[in-house]
């Protein structure tokens, strides 16, 4: 329950990055803001910062991505930044919570709308599958609520239009385009975590249910189009002379940081 019942809040998270960059720690952040934001709130926001890939786990310091974001978008307002925050929250191997990944890859399977009950049930399945236990209904519902709140509130990731409120629940929105630099960096991170040093994978692996494309709600056509664009940038190669079509390993994520805000 890393979230302490609060949805992601970018303005609050943006206060953490310069504190850590200047040698402070979470205690400094908490001491400065506890009176105005509350003790639980100041616990939750650093945890979100970790889950978004901006702060190292176990260390009061920024990740290389966090340092790059602080230098280029300290207010966390640009779509590229918000897409990467979404990606890290949803990546299958972390740093976000597993239920976040499971909800993200499941949503495109709903034909029209989905309800809070649907999401609560999905969180329950995720916890039971990955941890072999159950949580109280109230805890499961809170996880579903902070997920939708993160994507519908303007102070969260609402600007991406991934999820929208509907009369009978929620529906997928008309999402903002994913910048190519974001896809390049995210694919490098995804490959490193899922495939390690493997140099090629079948192209279909990235577009399968639960695969890389699902994290950005991309169809197979849209994903293949983006990958072809990345080949023109020299990020990877596609081998499509004969099936099975394959894609080559991209560079390490650190080598692609400068691509993020180039679009």
């Amino acid at each position: 329950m890393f979230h302490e019942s609060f949805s992601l809040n970018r303005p609050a998270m943006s206060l953490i990055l310069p504190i850590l960059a200047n040698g402070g720690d979470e205690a400094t952040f908490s001491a400065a803001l506890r009176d105005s934001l509350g003790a639980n709130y100041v616990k939750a926001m650093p945890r979100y910062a970790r889950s978004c890939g901006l702060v190292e786990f176990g260390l009061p310091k920024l990740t290389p991505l966090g340092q790059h974001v602080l230098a280029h978008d300290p207010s966390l307002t640009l779509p590229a930044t918000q897409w990467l925050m979404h990606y890290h929250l949803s990546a299958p191997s972390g740093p976000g919570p597993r239920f976040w990944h499971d909800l993200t890859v499941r949503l495109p399977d709903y034909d029209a709308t989905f309800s809070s009950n649907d999401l609560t049930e999905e969180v329950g399945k995720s916890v039971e599958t990955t941890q072999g236990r159950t949580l109280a209904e109230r805890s499961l519902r809170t996880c579903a609520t902070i997920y939708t709140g993160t994507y519908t509130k303007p102070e969260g990731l609402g600007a991406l239009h991934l999820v929208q409120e509907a009369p009978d629940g929620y529906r997928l929105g008309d999402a903002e385009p994913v910048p190519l630099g974001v896809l390049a960096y995210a694919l490098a991170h995804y490959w490193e975590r899922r495939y390690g040093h493997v140099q090629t994978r079948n192209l279909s692996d990235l577009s399968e249910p639960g695969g890389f494309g699902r994290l950005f709600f991309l169809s197979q056509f849209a994903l293949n189009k983006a990958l072809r664009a990345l080949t023109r940038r020299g990020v990877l190669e596609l081998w499509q002379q004969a099936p099975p079509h394959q894609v080559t390993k991209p560079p390490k994520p650190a080598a692609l940081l400068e691509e993020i805000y180039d679009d």
Side-chain angles (χ1 to χ4, degrees):
M1 305 302 288
F2 74 100
H3 47 74
E4 300 285 340
S5 301
F6 295 103
S7 299
L8 182 152
N9 184 292
R10 288 180 297 100
M13 288 175 59
S14 70
L15 300 175
I16 301 169
L17 305 189
I19 290 175
L20 296 184
N22 291 325
D25 55 18
E26 290 178 26
T28 308
F29 171 76
S30 297
L33 299 176
R34 185 183 292 114
D35 289 342
S36 58
L37 298 180
N40 289 338
Y41 197 88
V42 297
K43 289 180 186 177
M45 292 308 122
R47 296 172 188 167
Y48 270 112
R50 286 194 179 89
S51 296
C52 289
L54 304 177
V55 175
E56 298 280 5
F57 270 88
L59 296 172
K61 60 182 291 188
L62 302 183
T63 62
L65 175 63
Q67 296 171 19
H68 193 70
V69 168
L70 180 60
H72 292 81
D73 183 23
S75 60
L76 311 180
T77 56
L78 295 177
T81 302
Q82 294 187 41
W83 270 118
L84 279 174
M85 292 166 69
H86 158 76
Y87 163 73
H88 282 93
L89 280 165
S90 304
S93 301
R98 180 67 191 194
F99 79 82
W100 207 287
H101 163 80
D102 291 343
L103 284 179
T104 296
V105 299
R106 179 73 177 89
L107 292 190
D109 292 334
Y110 287 97
D111 292 332
T113 61
F114 44 91
S115 67
S116 294
N117 288 337
D118 292 327
L119 298 184
T120 299
E121 183 178 339
E122 293 293 340
V123 175
K125 291 178 183 176
S126 175
V127 172
E128 187 171 357
T129 300
T130 58
Q131 301 183 26
R133 65 190 183 100
T134 59
L135 290 179
E137 178 76 13
R138 179 179 178 181
S139 296
L140 297 176
R141 187 169 296 279
T142 299
C143 290
T145 299
I146 62 102
Y147 181 92
T148 53
T150 292
Y151 291 109
T152 55
K153 294 178 180 179
E155 66 270 23
L157 302 178
L160 298 181
H161 305 298
L162 283 173
V163 176
Q164 294 183 342
E165 293 179 325
D168 48 354
Y170 302 91
R171 62 179 178 84
L172 294 184
D174 185 12
E176 287 292 306
V178 187
L180 278 178
V182 167
L183 283 177
Y185 181 90
L187 179 58
H189 179 275
Y190 181 91
W191 195 294
E192 193 173 70
R193 295 294 186 93
R194 291 298 295 268
Y195 307 139
H197 297 294
V198 174
Q199 294 299 306
T200 62
R201 295 290 299 191
N202 289 344
L203 185 56
S204 59
D205 292 343
L206 299 181
S207 58
E208 66 185 358
F212 177 75
R214 273 294 182 98
L215 301 178
F216 294 96
F217 298 175
L218 295 175
S219 66
Q220 182 174 353
F221 175 82
L223 176 62
N224 289 349
K225 180 180 179 181
L227 293 177
R228 286 194 295 271
L230 291 181
T231 64
R232 294 192 290 271
R233 290 192 176 196
V235 173
L236 49 82
E237 293 182 51
L238 293 178
W239 298 346
Q240 296 180 291
Q241 289 82 4
H245 300 158
Q246 294 189 311
V247 58
T248 63
K249 183 178 182 292
K252 289 184 176 296
L256 295 169
L257 284 170
E258 296 300 329
E259 300 276 339
I260 294 172
Y261 297 108
D262 276 354
D263 295 305

